[in-house]
Coordinates of all heavy atoms in Angstrom, one line a residue:
C142 N 129.4 88.9 101.3 CA 129.3 89.1 102.8 C 129.3 87.8 103.6 O 129.2 87.8 104.8 CB 128.0 89.8 103.1 SG 128.0 91.6 102.7
L284 N 129.5 105.3 84.3 CA 128.1 105.7 84.8 C 127.3 106.1 83.5 O 127.7 106.9 82.7 CB 128.1 106.8 85.8 CG 128.3 106.5 87.2 CD1 129.7 105.9 87.5 CD2 128.1 107.7 88.1
E421 N 109.1 70.2 121.7 CA 108.0 69.4 121.2 C 108.1 69.3 119.6 O 107.8 68.3 119.1 CB 106.7 70.1 121.5 CG 106.3 70.0 123.0 CD 105.1 70.8 123.3 OE1 104.5 71.4 122.4 OE2 104.6 70.8 124.5

Side-chain angles (χ1 to χ4, degrees):
C142 284
L284 274 67
E421 289 174 359

